[in-house]
Amino acid sequence: MSADIIDGKAFAAGLRGRVAALVGPFRDQAGRAPGLAVVLVGEDPASQVYVRSKHKATVEAGMESFEHRLPADATQDQLLALVRQLNEDDRVDGILVQLPLPAPLDEQQVIATIDPDKDVDGFHVVNAGRLAVGQPGYVPCTPLGCLMLLKDRIGDLSGLNAVVIGRSNIVGKPMAQLLLAESCTVTVAHSRTRDLPEVVKRADIVVAAVGRPEMVRGDWIKPGAVVIDVGINRVPGAEPGKTRLVGDVAYDEAAAVASAVTPVPGGVGPMTIAVLLRNTLVAAHRRTGVALAPDAI
Ligand code: NDP
């Protein structure tokens, strides 16, 4: 058997297109475009790349992008003051503070200061709580993107066995909550899980969010399972001095057993920014009271 490739790049492009198509009607009714503010502290090269791509995608979708840069030696008070200013700014529907923050800044305090109704990253405890109890809120972009890919591939997920490997607040835990809300039987595995291959073998759905290159092997996977690989790991490439990206799943092995697999790159990765735009559009509608059809995006 050779698995289908789940084309996250194409799905993300479609989602971005659907979001962009809804920006015009929103602007007509609200008198302004949806606005996303991104805060970058310091000069971390990877963070700079992420912030640049978020800005580009926001503008391409027809939304307003507000970029705020603070020096690496910015104080906690300066950062909190900026977040509070963005909370008060009516043109801003979504606030994203690019993580990680340089030491010694306190990420948890910064996240806690963001207005939960502008927390389009879904990291505020209020939004984690809303997700846990099934109230509308904002769900972290990467796991919501994974769920969209799964529903697009499988349809109704109810009753399926799902194993999520990883229990971070950003990916693993919200992913497990989302799958539970879809009525999957969910197992959350982590570094202390005993006999992980056996646990994974029971899964109809495997979501790997570990950060260990190609850890999940083909013989761990139940034939016909759907495998979502969140991992992004840089490893040495074939040529000296070059690197390449691999996921947490041994792709070729998994593709020989699974019914569908996300590749790395081009699987989950492109979904994150697309869902960020989706969350921002939703926030703009909720904050202004402009109606958005529940199945619009
Ligand atoms: P974290 O480092 O926060 O969490 C990793 C999780 O994996 C932890 O729960 C840890 O367990 C678990 N783990 C570590 N080693 C093992 C092991 N040997 N067996 C089983 N579980 C293990 O990572 P994130 O959740 O932030 O990210 C996971 C991966 O996803 C990374 O590769 C990251 O780059 C990628 N990522 C990709 C995104 C995207 O596509 N846009 C966005 C976010 C992340 P324990 O809790 O016990 O320590």
Side-chain angles (χ1 to χ4, degrees):
M1 189 199 299
S2 183
D4 294 335
I5 297 173
I6 298 178
D7 189 345
K9 203 171 163 193
F11 190 94
L15 177 56
R16 282 166 62 163
R18 292 196 293 283
V19 169
L22 291 163
V23 166
F26 173 84
R27 198 195 285 112
D28 291 345
Q29 292 192 60
R32 64 166 180 85
L36 174 65
V38 176
V39 178
L40 174 62
V41 186
E43 311 282 328
D44 178 64
S47 293
Q48 288 188 347
V49 171
Y50 290 138
V51 166
R52 222 175 295 133
S53 6
K54 284 167 189 171
H55 170 77
K56 191 163 164 272
T58 309
V59 172
E60 276 172 14
M63 298 187 186
E64 193 87 48
S65 168
F66 304 97
E67 242 183 87
H68 294 268
R69 287 168 186 264
L70 292 178
D73 62 357
T75 63
Q76 184 78 5
D77 284 349
Q78 279 175 309
L79 180 53
L80 294 181
L82 173 58
V83 170
R84 289 193 188 103
Q85 177 197 318
L86 296 172
N87 284 344
E88 294 304 316
D89 189 337
D90 265 343
R91 300 166 305 162
V92 173
D93 298 295
I95 302 170
L96 181 154
V97 178
Q98 185 65 46
L99 303 178
L101 292 173
L105 296 174
D106 177 352
E107 288 183 358
Q108 286 313 315
Q109 192 188 22
V110 172
I111 293 168
T113 305
I114 296 173
D115 177 347
D117 295 332
K118 294 190 177 187
D119 170 39
V120 284
D121 250 345
F123 294 163
H124 196 289
V125 287
V126 165
N127 283 315
R130 286 168 171 164
L131 175 61
V133 298
Q135 287 176 9
Y138 295 98
V139 177
C141 301
T142 302
L144 184 52
C146 294
L147 183 74
M148 288 178 179
L149 294 178
L150 282 167
K151 288 177 82 166
D152 182 60
R153 167 74 203 185
I154 301 173
D156 181 10
L157 308 185
S158 84
L160 297 178
N161 282 335
V163 170
V164 179
I165 318 173
R167 55 173 163 178
S168 71
N169 292 334
I170 293 170
V171 188
K173 281 182 200 159
M175 187 74 243
Q177 294 284 1
L178 286 168
L179 291 165
L180 186 60
E182 295 295 325
S183 299
C184 291
T185 303
V186 183
T187 304
V188 184
H190 45 76
S191 67
R192 305 293 180 88
T193 297
R194 290 187 192 160
D195 203 355
L196 185 59
E198 274 312 303
V199 172
V200 173
K201 194 98 200 180
R202 295 198 293 265
D204 305 302
I205 294 169
V206 181
V207 181
V210 187
R212 288 179 167 249
E214 300 178 324
M215 185 188 82
V216 178
R217 310 309 309 188
D219 60 4
W220 299 17
I221 291 166
K222 176 174 160 178
V226 176
V227 179
I228 304 288
D229 189 352
V230 183
I232 302 177
N233 308 290
R234 199 164 277 285
V235 296
E239 291 170 44
K242 291 267 164 67
T243 59
R244 65 190 177 98
L245 289 183
V246 297
D248 291 341
V249 177
Y251 180 82
D252 289 342
E253 292 179 19
V257 189
S259 63
V261 194
T262 58
V264 177
V268 172
M271 290 300 292
T272 301
I273 289 183
V275 176
L276 175 68
L277 300 178
R278 179 252 175 222
N279 282 357
T280 304
L281 183 77
V282 170
H285 281 83
R286 287 184 184 156
R287 293 187 58 256
T288 54
V290 173
L292 179 67
D295 55 357
I297 35 174

